[in-house]
Amino acid sequence: MRKDFDPGELSSRDFYRLLTAVVVPRPIAWVSSRSAEGVDNLAPHSFFTVASVDPPIVQFTSVGEKDSLRNIRTRGEFVVNLAPAGLMAEVNATGTNFPPDVSEFDAAGLTREAGSTVGVARVAESPVALECRLHSTLLIGDCVLVFGEVTHAVVDSGVLDGSHPRIDLLEPLARLGLDEWGTTGSVREMKRIRRDDWPGGFRLQDRSED
């Protein structure tokens, strides 16, 4: 038995709550930007992904017109900081709707670190920072997709195995439904199946013995 949900019969807010409960887990872009007046802004955005490999472009969505979007349009640059589990309280705090003249860095007690290729502060306590130059924006409905070309990446050596970041040391946060947050939990390794190794087919196991 399944229940049907028609977006035409629900309020946009109710359907949004449904979408964010099933499109999970969602990585968090902890976006730092700087206003025209020089105020350092920091905010979590949970619609976030990689948009292009070459050139390297990441993308996050601004749900409505927010300080991050205004600052990025003004200065043309921003930083995506990784949101680690150890800073969950601080990440959540930076989502507070402070006025534009208040810096979330100061409100949440976080340390500024100068960027290498952008004039925007990185979060020193975050293990990863992706410095970005604005590539383009795209208006879709009541949201704006922000595309940033990564101009520099910095990773804490303590989370690296050689040159590869270890997921168990990064401990990235994810947003779920409602006020729920999560981490990676258990992680399994599974290689993609090559065509020559295709096993011939899959079927659901008989669960009658469960």
Side-chain angles (χ1 to χ4, degrees):
M1 181 70 69
R2 292 176 181 246
K3 182 174 181 178
D4 297 311
F5 294 86
D6 186 342
E9 296 179 355
L10 295 173
S11 70
S12 60
R13 180 63 181 174
D14 286 341
F15 205 75
Y16 167 82
R17 289 161 69 92
L18 173 66
L19 287 176
T20 55
V22 297
V23 182
V24 290
R26 299 188 309 280
I28 299 170
W30 204 10
V31 177
S32 52
S33 60
R34 182 166 290 168
S35 71
E37 294 73 28
V39 179
D40 295 315
N41 180 268
L42 182 62
H45 297 266
S46 65
F47 295 176
F48 169 55
T49 190
V50 176
S52 170
V53 176
D54 187 12
I57 293 176
V58 294
Q59 174 259 313
F60 76 90
T61 299
S62 176
V63 181
E65 182 83 11
K66 297 182 177 178
D67 290 340
S68 297
L69 177 60
R70 287 189 288 268
N71 295 345
I72 292 168
R73 280 175 164 166
T74 298
R75 287 189 173 265
E77 55 187 14
F78 61 98
V79 176
V80 174
N81 305 274
L82 184 134
L87 294 177
M88 178 175 173
E90 288 82 356
V91 175
N92 182 58
T94 60
T96 302
N97 59 335
F98 293 111
D101 60 344
V102 173
S103 172
E104 289 81 2
F105 277 88
D106 300 328
L110 294 163
T111 309
R112 294 167 174 80
E113 179 180 75
S116 296
T117 61
V118 296
V120 175
R122 309 186 303 218
V123 178
E125 290 84 357
S126 172
V128 179
L130 304 176
E131 299 181 6
C132 300
R133 178 175 56 247
L134 178 62
H135 176 276
S136 58
T137 61
L138 176 63
L139 175 66
I140 298 183
D142 63 349
C143 297
V144 176
L145 280 63
V146 179
F147 298 89
E149 182 172 352
V150 180
T151 57
H152 185 75
V154 61
V155 183
D156 190 320
S157 59
V159 302
L160 291 174
D161 180 3
S163 296
H164 184 73
R166 287 179 46 177
I167 192 68
D168 59 323
L169 298 178
L170 289 173
E171 293 188 298
L173 284 167
R175 281 305 308 273
L176 308 174
L178 299 176
D179 292 327
E180 301 163 330
W181 298 62
T183 56
T184 54
S186 61
V187 178
R188 296 188 301 172
E189 182 176 343
M190 181 180 295
K191 296 184 182 299
R192 182 175 298 182
I193 303 172
R194 298 186 307 169
R195 179 65 183 88
D196 291 343
D197 297 330
W198 185 253
F202 291 88
R203 66 181 180 84
L204 293 177
Q205 295 180 351
D206 184 2
R207 300 181 184 275
S208 61
E209 299 179 359
D210 293 347

